[in-house]
Amino acid sequence: MLQEECSTMEEPEVVEHFYGVYLLYCVNPKYRGKTYIGYTVDPRRRIKQHNAGRKYGGAWKTSNKGPWNMVLIVYGFPNSTSALRFEWAWQHPHVSRRLRHIPKKKKSQRVFDFYLTVLSEMLQVGPWCRLPLTVRWLDYEFSKDYCGNISPPLHMPICYGKVASCKVKQTKDAKANDARLQESQSVMERLCPLCGSAMTERDSISCVKPKCLLIAHSICLAKAFCKDGMILPIDGICPACKTSVLWGDLVRKKNSCYQDLREANTDSSFTDSDDI
């Protein structure tokens, strides 16, 4: 799958099950050029907290130094643990055993440039190179000057424009479909088309294509997608509809990430981690 560039949009793109790691740039003349790397499940709320100060949920490292600009964000992590590990490694590249090959920052090199170099290297090494991540420039002016500094794998798109997170709310139709599926499964035992043994809802996975009826063991399909000794699959050809699909998209569908999108989440019950 070729890397694609998404056009800049005035309205934010809404993403379900959002786990992102972002890069801030300080535009305060007194602290201009300072950076901050953090994790969030709601980028719009998080930048407001940073600029409001520590009393309102911002990090102590960014408090009273704003305004800050959220320039870049990487998302598509399967869970918060995965995103937090990515955040920590990006913050501490010379402590992470996977990034010790990266040269230390030169005195003449700007901190912002250095962290973009680190990010580009991180996206090329495991386990992150196998994840269905998206790199998004939130600030178009920065993207014009620095887009060439990041070279992710071909299956990771580089997008531009605002992004917002939302909770997944199951529709009545979706609930009815789930009920019918459970009823049919209770009447007739499903067999994996790849290994021929029985499946349960917990250990099965289905294709993302609307008209494809494939339902198989997650492990069986993962083995079919893995190539050259890969631990985790990146993409593969669906055995049923014969189309190319990303493994990350299959996992997202299993986690109900393809329900109808609702209004972007503004619920403050989400928690962010400033430092891990």
Side-chain angles (χ1 to χ4, degrees), residues 146-269:
Y146 296 98
C147 62
N149 292 44
I150 303 175
S151 301
L154 293 178
H155 69 278
M156 295 184 190
I158 298 179
C159 297
Y160 302 86
K162 299 176 182 179
V163 66
S165 62
C166 82
K167 283 183 176 179
V168 176
K169 294 183 178 180
Q170 199 173 33
T171 63
K172 292 182 179 179
D173 291 340
K175 289 180 180 179
N177 288 335
D178 286 348
R180 285 194 295 269
L181 178 60
Q182 290 176 6
E183 182 179 355
S184 64
Q185 287 178 337
S186 64
V187 174
M188 183 180 64
E189 187 180 58
R190 283 185 173 270
L191 300 179
C192 174
L194 301 180
C195 71
S197 59
M199 296 184 298
T200 64
E201 183 179 358
R202 184 175 182 179
D203 62 15
S204 65
I205 199 165
S206 59
C207 183
V208 295
K209 301 302 178 181
K211 296 182 180 180
C212 184
L213 301 177
L214 176 76
I215 301 178
H217 279 133
S218 302
I219 294 177
C220 292
L221 194 58
K223 288 180 179 178
F225 280 14
C226 282
K227 306 168 186 175
D228 301 325
M230 294 167 54
I231 299 175
L232 291 174
I234 295 175
D235 57 9
I237 303 298
C238 172
C241 64
K242 305 301 181 184
T243 57
S244 178
V245 291
L246 287 174
W247 180 255
D249 287 341
L250 299 181
V251 174
R252 288 194 184 102
K253 182 181 179 182
K254 183 176 177 62
N255 292 332
S256 303
C257 292
Y258 288 94
Q259 306 287 346
D260 293 337
L261 292 177
R262 295 296 185 182
E263 186 176 337
N265 171 60
T266 56
D267 188 353
S268 61
S269 63

Side-chain angles (χ1 to χ4, degrees), residues 122-137:
M122 290 179 69
L123 298 176
Q124 296 291 342
V125 300
W128 306 302
C129 65
R130 295 186 289 271
L131 296 177
L133 301 178
T134 295
V135 179
R136 179 176 290 271
W137 287 98

